[in-house]
Amino acid sequence: MRRITTIEFDGAGKRAIDNAKGRVVVTIVVFSLCFGVISARLIDLGLLSGMAQASTQGPADGGRTARADIIDRNGVLLATDLRTVSAYAKPSAIRHPEIAAARLASVLPGLSAADLEKKLRSSSSFVWVERKLTPAEHAAVIRLGIPGVDFRTEIERVYPHGNLAAHLIGYTNVDGVGKGGTERYFDARLKKDGAGGKPLQLAMDVRVQHVLRHEIQMAMEDFRALGGTGLIVDVNTGEIVAMASLPDFNPNEPGALIKKPAYMNRASHAVYEMGSTYKAFTMAMALEHNIADLEDGYDATNPIRVARFTINDDHPKARWLSMPEIFMYSSNIGSAKMALEAGGDLQQDFLRSLGQLDKPEVQLHEVGAPMTPTVWRDINTMTIAFGHGVAVSGLQLAAGFAAITNGGIKRPLTVLRADPAFPPGGTRVVSEATSRKMQALLRLVVEKGTGRKADAKGYLVGGKTGTAEKSGVGGYRRKALLSSFISVFPVTDPRYVVWVLMDEPKGNASTYGFSSGGWTAAPVVKRVIERAAPLLGVMPSDDETHPLVPAMLPLIQPELRS
Amino acid sequence: MRGVTVVTLIMLIAVSYGLYRLKYTVEAQRNHVTAIENQIETDKRAIKVLRAEWAYLTRPQRLEDLSKDFMTLEPLRAGQISNLEDIPERPAEILPEEDAADRTEVSEVAP
């Protein structure tokens, strides 16, 4: 390096050099800034912006909210969001409407070529060819390659099983909002989890559901009934394994729901006066609170007259009846006297503990509240003893019935699959001893009483028939019956409650004109248990009866026949 | 001085080249990932459709009808179900040696 010697200038010369220096500095700064900005922008464009572009995702699906799937207890799909493809055409772009219509009709079996041709010749700028194509139809239309025919995709809620469990699963409207059943009750959860989220698993088993629905449907046709309903409930977990309500509807066509009767869930929303099935509760109350034991009985010689009412027996024996006989022959008089001895207060407390007097908590939108008397007089106590004067839903009846037969524990019913590792808690409503006696009494009804037609061999069915007259204007209608059967199997170690109710069945030749619960509903329960028990993993048993039944037989008088 | 400048220039070119190469590689990888993601999305949609179709085709009512039409099966009866423990052990003396020989022959004919 050379040593720089500072040269001093004076006067005008020094000023000129100072000026020049200043200009050079300014120029350097300005150019540096310019190049700096250009470099920064280059780096930005070259390295950063390009990246940002690559990370953009595909467009989101439509405007409708995505919902999580619903599956059954074995993982079978019950409801899902699918993109469905609809074909439309622009008539102005179609050159040969006749050929196009014929070709489209050849791959879309639901269409008539003539109608389609008319549409394609119309002057409108947009016509639907066919909505909701199946994947195979979609592919076939693409393969035709007709110019002017195009597709539009939409997200739809699809229920592959159609009518099968329409009331339980529910349905959604076109905006994807739950409008019934679990779809409505769990609307927020299904939306929050979205289409890819954790599916909602129900306790229902589609196979068992099919058995129940199918058998009720066939019985409805046989007996020309207005409707039918049924439930299968796990007595140890409260899980609703099947819930059928007929007539039903197809949730894939929510627009067709204007017909109200089909929309009504008869198992959960409708409340019925259950009739004689309620005697099981009266009997359990009497046994539990030591009102009467099995050896005791009541005189059923004469009908009871209270004010303007007369309480009569449908199968009058006109004598003193033991407790097992009262239950077996379904004596109204005996049950009424039993309840009267217990008193209205005890009856109310007992029925409340069984969940009969309050609206049950079940995860469905349609849950009916029971109808109970405003003033609980003695006449109410007596009629309620045999199931008239209180109207409850099938859910309530099944839950109460499960409690008195499963060893005495009342559990809330649930539509969701319960975790086997965490059995749901419950409250004790009757002792185990009472529950055992009830099991034997229910078995007796099926072995020797009004429920013989429900005896599914090998599955030890215990149950109680119920035949209630529907209330109409000015009293009860003798010919309009609600015939039902509630059962539990296997009765020695109950697993499932099966309840079936037929709305206004008409007797036919095979029932000798009878339309009561023992003739119409009991055979349905038998067939349901025979078909569903293997699916539910219940092993058939070699036992013929409940261990307590032999001890009861001496209490039953053999009928004298002429 | 000139040497330093030349070296710096070469290094600058090398670094720029390397940087842009890296950038394009990353971009290609990203496109690849996007393509795979799209493929996964398409497959997921197809799986959903197939699951729905499977549920539709295995409706209990349909299976029952098909079984009635094409098979001779009947609904299961309780008497047809038994435990393995209920089947008695085969007593040894019932199986003579000739019989055993016959069995082997049969199994050879029909494997």
Side-chain angles (χ1 to χ4, degrees), chain A residues 488-525:
Chain A
V488 65
F489 78 96
V491 80
T492 45
D493 180 22
R495 295 274 307 276
Y496 294 97
V497 162
V498 180
W499 172 71
V500 166
L501 179 139
M502 309 297 298
D503 188 350
E504 292 193 28
K506 281 105 193 155
N508 60 22
S510 72
T511 68
Y512 310 102
F514 291 112
S515 55
S516 57
W519 284 98
T520 55
V524 180
V525 168

Side-chain angles (χ1 to χ4, degrees), chain A residues 217-336:
Chain A
Q217 192 174 38
M218 289 197 296
M220 258 177 75
E221 283 162 22
D222 282 355
F223 300 117
R224 290 166 291 134
L226 294 184
T229 178
L231 279 170
I232 299 180
V233 171
D234 186 319
V235 298
N236 297 314
T237 61
E239 288 171 292
I240 298 168
V241 179
M243 174 191 266
S245 172
L246 289 158
D248 52 17
F249 59 90
N250 184 354
N252 291 308
E253 293 157 15
L257 274 181
I258 307 143
K259 282 188 239 158
K260 278 273 176 188
Y263 169 66
M264 169 70 130
N265 187 338
R266 289 162 181 270
S268 71
H269 202 189
V271 292
Y272 299 108
E273 289 182 293
M274 289 297 178
S276 306
T277 46
Y278 240 59
K279 285 172 190 157
F281 296 154
T282 309
M283 194 56 105
M285 172 181 68
L287 293 173
E288 174 70 13
H289 294 280
N290 300 315
I291 309 301
D293 209 349
L294 290 174
E295 297 77 33
D296 301 327
Y298 292 89
D299 183 25
T301 316
N302 298 311
I304 306 174
R305 292 204 168 75
V306 184
R308 61 189 177 90
F309 301 98
T310 305
I311 296 170
N312 230 323
D313 277 357
D314 292 331
H315 314 274
K317 299 284 174 220
R319 61 173 168 86
W320 183 90
L321 295 172
S322 69
M323 292 282 275
E325 285 176 325
I326 289 171
F327 203 56
M328 240 177 78
Y329 300 131
S330 200
S331 165
N332 294 339
I333 301 169
S335 302

Side-chain angles (χ1 to χ4, degrees), chain B residues 33-64:
Chain B
V33 168
T34 312
I36 290 173
E37 276 171 356
N38 286 342
Q39 185 59 46
I40 289 171
E41 200 52 43
T42 313
D43 287 350
K44 270 188 184 163
R45 276 190 199 131
I47 289 168
K48 286 201 84 170
V49 171
L50 290 172
R51 260 171 54 86
E53 197 164 356
W54 173 256
Y56 178 71
L57 292 174
T58 56
R59 277 167 300 151
Q61 179 70 64
R62 180 170 181 270
L63 294 184
E64 190 178 319

Side-chain angles (χ1 to χ4, degrees), chain A residues 121-420:
Chain A
R121 285 189 191 283
S122 71
S123 56
S124 60
S125 58
F126 179 100
V127 291
W128 285 113
V129 175
E130 178 83 315
R131 311 280 311 248
K132 294 195 204 179
L133 302 179
T134 65
E137 287 171 344
H138 182 201
V141 177
I142 292 175
R143 240 177 283 123
L144 292 179
I146 303 169
V149 174
D150 210 339
F151 303 97
R152 187 171 280 190
T153 59
E154 294 158 299
I155 302 287
E156 300 246 17
R157 194 69 165 162
V158 174
Y159 303 91
H161 290 278
N163 291 31
L164 183 61
H167 292 94
L168 180 61
I169 301 167
Y171 60 100
T172 53
N173 68 4
V174 284
D175 299 321
V177 179
K179 282 289 167 192
T182 41
E183 285 271 33
R184 175 137 181 199
Y185 189 89
F186 291 105
D187 195 37
R189 175 171 160 186
L190 289 165
K191 274 185 196 154
K192 195 181 107 240
D193 288 355
K198 192 168 168 277
L200 185 70
Q201 190 164 32
L202 301 189
M204 190 258 284
D205 182 323
V206 285
R207 303 165 304 168
V208 179
Q209 172 75 21
H210 165 68
V211 168
L212 182 67
R213 180 180 176 274
H214 192 219
E215 291 295 345
I216 292 173
Q217 192 174 38
M218 289 197 296
M220 258 177 75
E221 283 162 22
D222 282 355
F223 300 117
R224 290 166 291 134
L226 294 184
T229 178
L231 279 170
I232 299 180
V233 171
D234 186 319
V235 298
N236 297 314
T237 61
E239 288 171 292
I240 298 168
V241 179
M243 174 191 266
S245 172
L246 289 158
D248 52 17
F249 59 90
N250 184 354
N252 291 308
E253 293 157 15
L257 274 181
I258 307 143
K259 282 188 239 158
K260 278 273 176 188
Y263 169 66
M264 169 70 130
N265 187 338
R266 289 162 181 270
S268 71
H269 202 189
V271 292
Y272 299 108
E273 289 182 293
M274 289 297 178
S276 306
T277 46
Y278 240 59
K279 285 172 190 157
F281 296 154
T282 309
M283 194 56 105
M285 172 181 68
L287 293 173
E288 174 70 13
H289 294 280
N290 300 315
I291 309 301
D293 209 349
L294 290 174
E295 297 77 33
D296 301 327
Y298 292 89
D299 183 25
T301 316
N302 298 311
I304 306 174
R305 292 204 168 75
V306 184
R308 61 189 177 90
F309 301 98
T310 305
I311 296 170
N312 230 323
D313 277 357
D314 292 331
H315 314 274
K317 299 284 174 220
R319 61 173 168 86
W320 183 90
L321 295 172
S322 69
M323 292 282 275
E325 285 176 325
I326 289 171
F327 203 56
M328 240 177 78
Y329 300 131
S330 200
S331 165
N332 294 339
I333 301 169
S335 302
K337 287 187 172 175
M338 207 185 298
L340 203 59
E341 198 181 332
D345 291 339
L346 178 59
Q347 187 184 36
Q348 280 188 57
D349 288 347
F350 190 75
L351 290 179
R352 180 157 282 124
S353 76
L354 290 177
Q356 301 301 301
L357 305 183
D358 305 298
K359 187 176 166 178
E361 291 288 323
V362 179
Q363 311 98 318
L364 286 173
H365 177 59
E366 303 85 0
V367 176
M371 296 201 307
T372 52
T374 43
V375 187
W376 205 286
R377 296 200 178 85
D378 279 353
I379 180 67
N380 303 104
T381 300
M382 285 193 278
T383 58
I384 289 164
F386 54 87
H388 284 78
V390 162
V392 298
S393 63
L395 288 178
Q396 286 175 282
L397 185 75
F401 195 77
I404 59 167
T405 53
N406 70 1
I409 307 292
K410 168 85 169 68
R411 293 188 181 87
L413 298 189
T414 174
V415 302
L416 296 186
R417 187 175 179 178
D419 188 341

Side-chain angles (χ1 to χ4, degrees), chain A residues 1-7, chain B residues 1:
Chain A
M1 285 281 207
R2 279 174 293 167
R3 176 170 296 233
I4 299 163
T5 322
T6 320
I7 304 161
Chain B
M1 187 67 198

